[in-house]
Amino acid sequence: MKVGFIGLGAMGRPMAKRLRGAGFELSVYDVMAAAAEELTALGAVAKSNPGEAAASSELICLSLPNSAILKEVMLGENGVIKSLEPGSLVVDLSSVEPQVSRRLAEAVEAQGGAMIDAPVSGGVVGAENGALTIMVGGKKEDLDKAQEVLKHLGKKVFHVGGPGSGQAVKLVNNLLLGANMAAAAEALTLGKKLGLTPETMLEVISQSSGASYALSAKAEKFIYPGRFEPGFAVDLQYKDLELAVSTAKSLSMPLPMGNTAQQLYEIARAGGRGREDISSVIKFYEEMAKIEVRS
Ligand code: NAD
């Protein structure tokens, strides 16, 4: 199967490498030409715009930062939709608004193709190891067709409903991650202020009812050594909370936890920490409490 891959960033590059490693004929495109170098060294062909990458492919994967860029790549002058061969399948691995996914799926269908939304969870390590969780919205028959590719990227692939449903589950998941990370940062700082050691807190709480993925994945690896290279960047978590907050607004649903959590990531961005890992939200608490949670 000929595969196109558009967006070769922290997630897209390792995913595309896995597909090339599995033997797929691969056409790649990224707006930063240098992002394709590792792939071309492995035998992939770099294209000069999204349309070119799509024209030569039966299945086109996208891993892009946000809805505005995804729309431009899909609908723009040299975009995917204009070059799509009838019968081609678009697999969008980005995290975007469910309603944007639905609209793009309609546009692809009008062109004789099909699209599934397939946002992922599991971070860069999951992408490198083919161990992502993939949440798919769209037709089951299209997911079945995509499995030939998705099986190399994820260990758990869930079909959760029609177009946009994968994005809806992802949005709910990342609302929880964002709020859990902020809560863990707040709690760890209070514990330190009370004289507890970081090790004691992690050992006890990870076996108690306060346990969370945010605590277990971020405390020992990022916060305690004070190393905040992502990981999962504050800017992306902020964007995911914006997806949740704006979607909730459109449904007239109050979202106090999501809005409060988003403010903490806003503070991190304002402090120049947008490209740091989400665990760096703890620096706000540390500055206020005038201590650091390190070991
Ligand atoms: P990233 O910023 O590292 O990569 C995005 C890539 O898209 C970059 O290489 C950039 O040059 C490219 N790009 C930007 N505009 C483009 C355009 N017009 N045409 C082609 N390429 C363009 O982001 P990432 O961390 O790889 O995340 C990608 C998506 O996956 C996002 O939607 C993110 O929310 C989601 N996600 C990320 C993680 C994570 O841990 N990083 C985890 C799960 C999901």
Side-chain angles (χ1 to χ4, degrees):
M1 185 188 269
K2 290 184 183 169
V3 175
F5 210 112
I6 300 172
L8 304 167
M11 296 295 285
R13 190 162 36 222
M15 287 195 263
K17 278 169 75 175
R18 288 192 63 82
L19 297 183
R20 183 67 201 125
F24 288 100
E25 240 180 273
L26 206 60
S27 298
V28 296
Y29 173 71
D30 192 289
V31 74
M32 306 270 292
E37 279 168 13
E38 261 184 70
L39 271 308
T40 50
L42 296 171
V45 179
K47 301 289 183 175
S48 50
N49 61 52
E52 273 189 19
S56 51
S57 305
E58 300 155 80
L59 187 147
I60 301 116
C61 294
L62 303 146
S63 178
L64 294 164
N66 57 47
S67 299
I69 292 175
L70 175 67
K71 282 196 279 189
E72 180 201 317
V73 164
M74 290 294 291
L75 304 168
E77 186 54 33
N78 294 309
V80 169
I81 285 186
K82 279 195 178 149
S83 308
L84 208 60
E85 296 287 339
S88 295
L89 177 61
V90 177
V91 177
D92 180 26
L93 303 153
S94 327
S95 308
V96 298
E97 279 107 331
Q99 55 274 32
V100 168
S101 263
R102 280 195 288 272
R103 281 204 297 276
L104 290 176
E106 282 165 17
V108 169
E109 218 165 284
Q111 203 65 23
M115 175 169 161
I116 57 174
D117 46 300
V120 303
S121 180
V124 175
V125 174
E128 285 168 352
N129 299 331
L132 296 166
T133 296
I134 309 182
M135 310 155 202
V136 178
K139 291 197 185 114
K140 176 75 167 61
E141 73 221 45
D142 293 327
L143 166 57
D144 290 343
K145 194 171 155 196
Q147 282 288 17
E148 192 180 337
V149 160
L150 294 181
K151 72 180 182 194
H152 297 286
L153 307 180
K155 283 223 167 78
K156 292 184 182 132
V157 180
F158 294 100
H159 183 224
V160 295
S165 312
Q167 297 295 354
V169 176
K170 172 68 178 167
L171 174 160
V172 169
N173 180 75
N174 279 34
L175 165 62
L176 260 180
L177 171 63
N180 282 347
M181 184 71 254
E186 185 171 294
L188 287 175
T189 314
L190 176 64
K192 185 73 190 290
K193 198 87 178 162
L194 288 167
L196 298 171
T197 67
E199 291 78 9
T200 301
M201 288 191 274
L202 188 59
E203 188 186 357
V204 177
I205 298 167
S206 60
Q207 300 302 319
S208 305
S209 49
S212 67
Y213 166 85
L215 185 71
S216 55
K218 301 296 184 181
E220 223 164 14
K221 196 164 165 214
F222 293 88
I223 297 172
Y224 293 2
R227 281 199 304 264
F228 294 100
E229 302 87 35
F232 183 40
V234 164
D235 282 340
L236 289 175
Q237 177 66 78
Y238 178 84
K239 175 206 67 170
D240 287 342
L241 285 166
E242 182 58 29
L243 297 182
V245 164
S246 62
T247 303
K249 258 191 195 135
S250 74
L251 299 169
S252 299
M253 157 139 187
L255 213 63
M257 301 296 287
N259 277 283
T260 304
Q262 194 189 25
Q263 281 300 300
L264 287 159
Y265 296 97
E266 183 86 279
I267 289 167
R269 278 155 57 93
R273 301 198 293 275
R275 294 301 298 170
E276 290 188 8
D277 186 72
I278 57 170
S279 49
S280 83
V281 286
I282 200 166
K283 290 181 184 170
F284 165 73
Y285 291 105
E286 290 176 337
E287 278 160 23
M288 297 227 299
K290 302 198 170 33
I291 48 161
E292 284 193 332
V293 185
R294 303 280 179 276
S295 66

